[in-house]
Amino acid sequence: MSEKSLAARPEIDVRGLHKSFGANEVLKGIDLEINQGEVVCVIGPSGSGKSTLLRCVNLLEEPTKGQVFVGGTELTDPDVDIDAVRRRIGMVFQQFNLFPHLTVTENLTLPQRRVLRRDKAQAAKVAAENLERVGLSEKASAYPASLSGGQQQRVAIARALAMGPEVMLFDEPTSALDPELVGDVLAVMRMLARDGMTMMVVTHEMTFAREVADRVVFMDGGVIVEDGTPEQVIGNPRHERTRHFLSRLLDPAMAEVEEETSDQVGGSGA
Ligand SMILES: Nc1ncnc2c1ncn2[C@@H]1O[C@H](COP(=O)(O)OP(=O)(O)OP(=O)(O)O)[C@@H](O)[C@H]1O
Ligand SMILES: [Mg+2]
């Protein structure tokens, strides 16, 4: 169902993006195009600016300089109706942010009714469809506290999908989960990718990135160091910084050995 070949322009287009917090320049000129139906995984060390980039793509953070386009609309245009554009962008965070006093269905219907002005019956219908997509129809009347972390995250994904977004942004959606619950959430994300959703995913799940991503972007120090297929960036990284990050991620103990060795021999890595 992917319509990659039909895309006349990128679905997400980031041009010359800079973001500073006070004197701290966190994003130092990011250029990134993501086509319709593409899945791009963003990897990189803590503090490299991954979340800030994602938050700039739906203007949760205001860029200091540069432009962001989603579906051809410039979000950084001062005259843009930002609420209208945000409706086209779904976001899923590490923390699920469900309302604890509302049932699963109510968590899904509330934003539809408030933001999209859907009536009760239609919102309930869309909620049921999306709960089915994430495999949680039987939890429709449950409260979030009675669900596992993985189930709560799937509800959060269903809540975003119920708004009918054109693109989905994920910021480490599985990082807060116990290992045995990660798989179910990744399976839902795989399904979305197969259905042709345009996705930008900050993640440390390298197996997911290898299998599902069309492209992997490695960020370090507020810039994109490498951007390519998973085979290129994870399988055969060109830059020492990428190699170092990956070796540390895959085997923290080895990375220390490698660091000591490269200090001695002058840095020609594995
Ligand atoms: N609201 C903020 N105010 C001030 N500084 C911020 C703010 N948000 C992020 N930063 C700083 O920007 C830098 C990049 O943060 P960011 O959260 O984007 O990194 P990250 O790559 O997502 O890291 P992690 O892997 O730990 O989530 C950090 O130095 C952080 O302290
Ligand atoms: Mg982050």
Side-chain angles (χ1 to χ4, degrees), residues 20 23 26 31 53 59 65 69 98 102 117 139 143-144 151 164 202 220 232 262:
S20 298
V26 171
D31 292 287
L53 172 60
L59 240 58
K65 204 166 93 182
F69 297 81
L98 300 174
L102 299 181
R117 302 270 159 223
K139 299 292 184 188
Y143 285 88
Q151 290 171 334
V202 176
D220 195 10
Q232 286 167 343
S262 71

Side-chain angles (χ1 to χ4, degrees), residues 44-52 54-55 94 171-172 202 204:
S46 183
S48 58
K50 305 178 300 293
S51 295
T52 304
L54 217 58
R55 292 167 62 81
Q94 188 173 330
D171 194 353
E172 301 201 34
V202 176
H204 296 295

